[in-house]
């Protein structure tokens, strides 16, 4: 059995790698598989890493706070990503650059530092706080996992909604080469 710290670091790594690999770049296709990949990742993460979620008390509040923080962070991340129609294909694409990568890396880095700190830096105060508020280590870990999952799912939903709301093209898409020959910009 692996430690909860190892579990947290695995989730952090999966989330960061998935998001950066699928989103970074100037014209990333918004395909069904791109939108389904985070859902599949969440479906894999939950059964392996989430203990039975809390159903009452402060432990439930910690898990709900993780979801709420994930919702806010996911919305902030999606605001750093542009969504537009490709001038060559007319299909929705996204662009995300350095600010997006820094945002995700900082968030995941903060989560990783907190997870590491729970085990190595501030274990005694955290245990005292957990006992005083009846919050188990599992509930705290679940809250962090819910934060990560909510972040990627909100980012995915926002991407899908923004792509579906793009205005239709007035004309068929033209290739960049055709547009250059006519002296007009592509559609």
């Amino acid at each position: 059995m692996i430690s909860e710290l190892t579990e947290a670091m695995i989730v952090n790594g999966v989330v960061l790698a998935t998001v950066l690999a699928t989103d970074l770049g100037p014209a990333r296709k918004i395909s069904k598989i791109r939108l389904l990949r985070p859902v599949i990742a969440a479906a894999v993460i939950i059964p392996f890493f989430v203990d039975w979620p809390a159903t009452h008390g402060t432990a439930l509040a910690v898990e709900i706070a993780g979801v709420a923080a994930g919702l806010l962070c996911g919305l902030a991340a999606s605001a750093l990503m542009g969504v537009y129609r490709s001038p060559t294909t007319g299909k929705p694409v996204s662009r995300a650059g350095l600010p997006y990568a820094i945002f995700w890396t900082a968030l995941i880095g903060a989560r990783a530092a907190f997870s590491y700190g729970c085990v190595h830096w501030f274990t005694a105060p955290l245990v005292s706080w957990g006992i005083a508020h009846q919050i188990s280590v599992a509930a705290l870990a679940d809250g962090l996992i819910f934060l990560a999952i909510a972040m990627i799912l909100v980012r995915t939903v926002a991407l899908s909604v923004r792509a579906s709301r793009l205005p239709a093209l007035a004309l068929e898409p033209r290739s960049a080469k055709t547009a250059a020959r006519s002296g007009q910009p592509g559609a």
Side-chain angles (χ1 to χ4, degrees), residues 18 21 35-37 44 46 62 64 77 83 96 98 116-117 150 180-181:
T18 300
L35 296 174
L36 285 175
R37 190 176 298 127
V44 169
I46 289 173
V62 166
I64 291 171
V83 177
L98 187 59
Y116 185 85
R181 276 187 279 176

Side-chain angles (χ1 to χ4, degrees), residues 5 48 69 162 172:
L5 176 60
F48 284 109
R162 290 174 65 195
E172 285 294 313

Side-chain angles (χ1 to χ4, degrees), residues 8-176:
M9 295 306 178
I10 289 169
V11 170
N12 289 334
V14 168
V15 169
L16 186 60
T18 300
V19 169
L20 294 182
T22 59
D23 291 346
L24 284 183
R28 301 302 299 243
K29 265 193 317 187
I30 301 175
S31 63
K32 288 184 183 188
I33 190 66
R34 180 173 175 203
L35 296 174
L36 285 175
R37 190 176 298 127
V39 176
I40 293 166
V44 169
I45 289 170
I46 289 173
F48 284 109
F49 297 112
V50 175
D51 286 340
W52 193 258
T55 57
H56 65 282
T58 312
L60 176 61
V62 166
E63 292 173 353
I64 291 171
V67 172
L71 292 171
L72 294 174
C73 291
L75 288 171
S78 69
L80 293 172
M81 185 184 312
V83 177
Y84 63 100
R85 288 204 181 274
S86 168
T88 56
T89 66
K91 298 197 184 222
V93 294
S94 68
R95 82 175 136 254
L98 187 59
Y100 185 82
I102 290 170
F103 180 80
W104 275 97
T105 303
L107 281 173
I108 299 300
R111 283 175 33 86
F114 179 77
S115 296
Y116 185 85
C118 288
V119 174
H120 298 289
W121 299 330
F122 44 84
T123 307
L126 184 63
V127 168
S128 297
W129 175 81
I131 291 169
H133 295 92
Q134 298 178 349
I135 299 171
S136 68
V137 171
L140 186 59
D142 289 352
L144 290 171
I145 292 169
F146 292 157
L147 182 146
I149 291 168
M151 282 170 44
I152 61 173
L153 292 178
V154 167
R155 184 227 24 114
T156 301
V157 169
L159 183 62
S160 178
V161 168
R162 290 174 65 195
S164 71
R165 291 185 176 173
L166 288 173
L169 291 175
L171 301 172
E172 285 294 313
R174 299 185 324 174
S175 71

